[in-house]
Amino acid sequence: MSGGGPPRKRNFKIEAFKHRVELDPKYAERTWKVLEHAIHEIYNHNASGLSFEELYRSAYNMVLHKYGEKLYNGLESTLTWRLKEISKSIEAAQGGLFLAELNAKWMDHNKALQMIRDILMYMDRTYVPTSHRTPVHELGLNLWRDHIIHHSMIHGRLLDTLLDLIHRERMGEVINRGLMRSITKMLMDLGPAVYQDDFEKPYLEVSASFYSGESQEFIECCDCGNYLKKAERRLNEEMERVSHYLDAGSEAKITSVVEKEMIANHMHRLVHMENSGLVNMLIDDKYEDLGRMYTLFRRVPDGLSTIRDMMTSYLRETGKQLVTDPERLKDPVEFVQCLLNEKDKHDKIISVAFGNDKTFQNALNSSFEFFINLNNRSPEFISLYVDDKLRKGLKGATEEDVEGILDKVMMLFRYLQEKDVFEKYYKQHLAKRLLSAKTVSDDAERSMIVKLKTECGYQFTSKLEGMFTDMKTSQDTMQDFYAKKSEELGDGPTLDVHILTTGSWPTQPSPPCTLPPEILVVCEKFRAYYLGTHSGRRLTWQTNMGTADIKATFGKGQKHELNVSTYQMCVLMLFNSNDGYTYKDIEQATEIPATDLKRCLQSLACVKGKNVLRKEPMSKDISEDDTFYFNDKFTSKLVKVKIGTVVAQKESEPEKQETRQRVEEDRKPQIEAAIVRIMKSRRVLDHNSIVAEVTKQLQARFLPNPVIIKKRIESLIEREFLERDKADRKLYRYLA
Amino acid sequence: MTGKGEAAAQHREEEEDGEMVGVVKLISAEGFEFVIDKKAAMVSNTLRNMLTSPGGFAESRDNEVRFPEISTAILEKICQYFYWSLHYASGKETAEFPIEPEITLELMMAANYLDT
């Protein structure tokens, strides 16, 4: 017993009723009149007296008695007639009442249609599907569309009214949104095609021209930030409008119109706008404006890449200026701090305004990589920065602060192409720190090594770690030495030896100076002790790297403890036996290399407050004709006086050349090793592939120059590791 | 009525916004009156439309429907079916709905008319 039974069943019934039809031939006409009357009454709001059952039964019987077509056609023509009447009354509505009248009539029609559909339900269920007619409700909508919406006197007027209202709202007027909503909903009810063709398309066109004009006006008179604010507001307004009274499907379309007209069309001009464009926003940290630009530009194709490209070129430009500014190069610590600040600033912009966009981070990284490597002193300076921090900068800083700073440095380190140069400098600086016991925190030192290790692997830091091991063993050795030999040593000066493994330390062979006899005695004892416990080793004194604490008594009997370098100690010890020496005398007695001697004399005689020696004639520089005297009048508030050597913190030009040369030398075996590794597995390879592979293998440490790679290949051919292919000269073969 | 059926009906009642509350009078061709719950009458789509269609037809105003073409016997059977359907339509319980062979045709016609 359910709705539409199988057709077979119905056939039976129709068979049974055939006889009744013949009984009353006028039945159909009479029944239709009843229904027609009812439809008119419904439209006249007069339905309350009608019996639903009677009407339904009438329609039911008409359909059963095969008058379905008559019923359907009658309905269609009645509806059409009513709608023509309705259209007249809508046409007659004046001005602002037009929409209201249309809406009221639409409501009526809808309600009437529902009632008619209900009483004709049986026809909808049986006649309509079998004879492929349009269901009643849909028929009513179609007729409304054809006779009202598409009526020549209504169609254009409706569209104009709607567009005019929207325009007025854009200009700030308050309009009846409820009515707008009803009307657009009506258009949607009539089918998406009606909404789109009769309203949405023209609406989008009008909007496009409106925003094209408005954006032109804005861009002429607003700065970039204000323009973006206005564009954002317009965009939000349009979205709000859609949510209030348009179909949700319009949102994407209208926003794309606004995006295109207000953003995409003016994108480049906005970014480049003088005094307020992207660059100024970046400089002034305008997070809000930048964030707005990001979210707006993201909506349009190529929007973000426009920002990104501009940012990249700006970063490269300013970065280039920064790293090539000769003023900046004077202070390496300041230089690196500048880079770090710059990085922090833009990191913050990307995280606050650009939503941590990966592509922006990449752009930032590649920009830094680009300009940091423009200056070949960057590796040295970064190492100097770490040196500065680990010497004194980190005093009082918490562990997290230290980690933070080191992490930032590692970030810069990652940008370096010549990581091996950094290693070289880092080793030098670390050696100085360790030997002069200047390092603030052992933990910080080790943490830095661990970071380098994770970044570049064991090989990179093995020597650095070796240095730490040496320091530790030296300590143990010295303890043992004094434990065993203390009575033998007596009251002589205390010796503290660091035993440095050759190769791990950046030592340069330098001829030892002549040590004062007191020291020499202890040294010899230590040598005997050390070689006694470790046979087969060779000890060389690195007098250029040591320090000494000596006590001195001055003219008025005041005593000071002087902290000096080994060289300075040798010089000062001379004054125990004589009050004055010429430069030549000192040079002869100590055998200190000339450049080092000059530096050490300069720091002893020419630094105010630390001038334990007096020089004649007085001048800033040391010349070979000078004579030096013990400065009896030396005074100082401090008991302990630290006399630093005048060492240029950063390398001088010749030193730099030297380091560079050493780096180049070190690279040769690395390149050769890489070539051999590659050839061993490939056997045969052409020149360009080798260069590419070698570059790839070594890029974690440095960027090898193709010319040098070529030279290394030639050298390997000479040494018969490789040979050229007989047929193809561009191919190399590996010779096992 | 068992608890389950009632709960389901109550749930539907809320959805229909009170239109299901109350009773409706069905009158047969012979003038016999059946008073049944509205929610039982709603089993028939025709009756549902009749009672809920907007515009105030006489039926929904008076809560009274006349069936000049349905005999008392059939209408009674139909009312029984409404309650049977209300109870068992959920499928959780099943029971036969007995139909006497002699009224089958008439009952079928009425069912078609009532869209049940």
Side-chain angles (χ1 to χ4, degrees), chain A residues 640-687:
Chain A
K640 277 192 179 184
V641 181
K642 195 174 162 222
I643 298 173
T645 333
V646 184
V647 205
Q649 205 190 10
K650 61 177 184 180
E651 288 191 315
S652 63
E653 204 54 37
E655 276 175 320
K656 198 178 104 189
Q657 295 297 340
E658 204 181 302
T659 314
R660 172 105 340 232
Q661 223 166 20
R662 266 187 296 145
V663 169
E664 294 294 342
E665 277 310 311
D666 283 357
R667 281 179 184 181
K668 282 182 191 168
Q670 289 187 45
I671 296 174
E672 285 180 359
I675 296 171
V676 171
R677 267 199 305 276
I678 292 160
M679 291 308 291
K680 207 166 176 177
S681 62
R682 299 298 192 84
R683 296 279 148 191
V684 182
L685 208 62
D686 66 294
H687 182 80

Side-chain angles (χ1 to χ4, degrees), chain A residues 1-3 9 13 17 47-48 50-53 55-57 60-61 111 114-115 118-119 121-122 125, chain B residues 46 49-50 53-59 61 65-69 81 107-109 111-116:
Chain A
M1 267 187 125
S2 69
K9 216 189 257 174
K13 280 177 238 152
F17 284 116
S48 57
L50 300 170
S51 160
F52 187 107
E53 198 276 341
L55 299 171
Y56 179 79
R57 185 156 36 86
Y60 170 81
N61 283 329
K111 192 173 163 193
Q114 206 182 336
M115 291 165 78
D118 283 345
I119 58 173
M121 186 61 82
Y122 192 76
R125 252 170 62 211
Chain B
T46 306
N49 284 337
M50 248 176 229
S53 187
F57 285 107
E59 283 85 355
R61 196 183 53 200
V65 186
R66 283 176 186 280
F67 294 106
E69 288 184 1
Y81 174 74
L107 198 58
M108 284 294 173
M109 277 162 54
N112 184 37
Y113 174 77
L114 290 170
D115 190 7
T116 304

Side-chain angles (χ1 to χ4, degrees), chain A residues 79 103 144 236 242-243 268 298 309 348 431 445 484 489 510 541 549 561 573 693 703 720 734:
Chain A
L79 285 180
N103 188 40
W144 177 268
N236 289 337
V242 171
S243 77
H268 292 278
R298 191 170 53 173
D309 294 347
K348 179 146 187 231
E445 289 284 3
K484 285 183 181 155
L489 290 165
S510 72
W541 298 106
D549 291 327
E561 206 176 302
M573 291 294 266
E693 293 256 351
L703 210 62
E720 301 192 327
Y734 180 68

Side-chain angles (χ1 to χ4, degrees), chain A residues 328-344:
Chain A
R328 292 265 178 226
L329 296 184
K330 281 182 185 160
D331 186 349
V333 177
E334 196 51 45
F335 172 85
V336 175
Q337 193 59 53
C338 245
L339 291 179
L340 285 177
N341 293 346
E342 198 72 0
K343 177 80 165 69
D344 279 349

